[in-house]
Amino acid sequence: WIHLNIDFPFNLTGVLYFPKLGNAMEVSRNKIHLYSNQVFVTDDVRDIVPEWLLLLHGVIDSPDIPLNVSRSYLQADGNVKKISEYITRKVADKLQDLFKTDRPAFEQKWRDLGVFVKYGVISDKKFDDRATAFTLVENTLGEFYLLSDYKEKIKANQTDKHGKLVVIYTNDPEGHHGPIKTAEQRGYDVLRLDTVLDNHWMQHLEYRSDLGFVFVRVDSDTVDNLVQKEDARTSVLSEKEQETVKSLFEAAAKSQPGASVQLSALAPEDQPVQITKPEFMRRMKEMQSLHGMGLGDMPDSFNIVVNTNSPVIVD
């Protein structure tokens, strides 16, 4: 709950609350009601409340807003902008206070609160600056970290040869169980990023120079290539044997649209065959599908990765 009460430079009272969202993000524009001296004015508050906070529910009462309000009036009135900035600041203050006073409770609510925070971070630069102090990430073990703390956690083991911090994530912890376990065996940490906004939020974080993050989904490549290092394994198969193996798999996969066979010299104990989905193409397809663009109907692009050091393949 966020209680609003201010009498200068404008009069405003009210109460707003965060609804339980789960993995949904339906912006209902009639969940915040605006009153003037307890007389209902409107439930269309998009010019008073920032777009990303329209997910909130509640009531606002301000005598400084006339009864027969119009959109053109709201857009031109200086008090309205101040009210919007005040509400944004109060929301940030409340979230910061919740995080400081009872972090376990804040973490428990993060699945719902995180949708608001990520939406605000993407939409509002001032909120983004303040939200750094309480924006969390959750890994597949159920552990929560501030972004700065997570950067320190993965720095030693997940820095690639270009100096980038590789953040490995899953949007389907159950479906990616195998790749997650393989990554964890290599000492990697895997984040759970499975909300509707996470694709946008990841790209936003990748542009932040202070973090140096690059996000890769756990099934986007073999575990050896998730965090690219200098050392590369060699295959125990000859070039001719590799050509034979590749032709066999290409013949088996020719009926699958979007499939590509790739040979990789992995550790002998790694799986003999893996299916990976390249990060760039998959993310672009998901983004365009979200915006109703054409690529969403294209077949998935995926690699059939054959481990040429696996005893199953070698034999």
Side-chain angles (χ1 to χ4, degrees), residues 57-75:
H57 295 189
V59 178
I60 298 171
D61 191 315
S62 176
D64 291 334
I65 295 177
L67 287 175
N68 55 352
V69 68
S70 65
R71 285 210 67 197
S72 59
Y73 170 85
L74 289 174
Q75 291 169 344

Side-chain angles (χ1 to χ4, degrees), residues 27 45-46 54 67 105 114 126 149 155 195 212 236 270 281 312:
V27 179
V45 296
R46 56 190 150 165
L54 292 177
L67 287 175
K126 288 184 178 179
D149 294 337
K155 184 186 292 184
T195 70
V236 298
D270 285 340
M281 286 300 297
V312 175

Side-chain angles (χ1 to χ4, degrees), residues 66-243:
L67 287 175
N68 55 352
V69 68
S70 65
R71 285 210 67 197
S72 59
Y73 170 85
L74 289 174
Q75 291 169 344
D77 185 69
N79 273 339
V80 169
K81 184 178 181 182
K82 292 175 184 176
I83 291 172
S84 176
E85 292 173 349
Y86 169 72
I87 292 172
T88 299
R89 189 170 70 252
K90 288 291 288 184
V91 168
D93 289 345
K94 180 65 174 182
L95 291 169
Q96 177 65 32
D97 182 61
L98 281 172
F99 177 77
K100 279 187 173 180
T101 57
D102 193 349
R103 178 164 174 170
F106 187 86
E107 291 177 353
Q108 189 176 15
K109 297 179 176 71
W110 180 249
R111 294 289 293 168
D112 296 300
L113 295 178
V115 177
F116 294 93
V117 174
K118 291 170 185 177
Y119 197 2
V121 162
I122 294 167
S123 309
D124 187 326
K125 179 64 172 68
K126 288 184 178 179
F127 181 79
D128 185 12
D129 293 339
R130 303 191 67 180
T132 301
F134 51 79
T135 300
L136 297 177
V137 289
E138 178 189 4
N139 68 12
T140 51
L141 302 176
E143 300 167 341
F144 291 86
Y145 300 89
L146 290 169
L147 292 173
S148 56
D149 294 337
Y150 194 71
K151 178 179 179 178
E152 291 302 313
K153 175 181 174 61
I154 67 172
K155 184 186 292 184
N157 204 31
Q158 291 176 218
T159 301
D160 69 9
K161 61 185 179 182
H162 304 294
K164 289 286 188 179
L165 289 175
V166 179
V167 180
I168 304 169
Y169 73 96
T170 176
N171 67 340
D172 183 5
E174 291 186 8
H176 294 154
H177 176 79
I180 290 171
K181 290 303 175 187
T182 302
E184 288 174 347
Q185 288 167 4
R186 292 292 177 94
Y188 296 153
D189 193 81
V190 182
L191 289 186
R192 176 179 176 174
L193 294 175
D194 56 356
T195 70
V196 68
L197 277 175
D198 281 331
N199 266 340
H200 293 278
W201 187 59
M202 285 186 288
Q203 289 193 333
H204 176 82
L205 293 182
E206 285 176 331
Y207 282 116
R208 279 183 51 174
S209 58
D210 62 313
L211 293 174
F213 284 170
V214 173
F215 287 82
V216 297
R217 206 168 78 178
V218 70
D219 66 335
S220 65
D221 213 326
T222 60
V223 69
D224 279 10
N225 288 325
L226 288 175
V227 183
Q228 294 186 358
K229 306 285 187 178
E230 295 294 348
D231 49 337
R233 287 189 175 89
T234 57
S235 175
V236 298
L237 297 180
S238 66
E239 288 188 15
K240 186 175 180 180
E241 288 172 330
Q242 291 183 55
E243 289 174 6

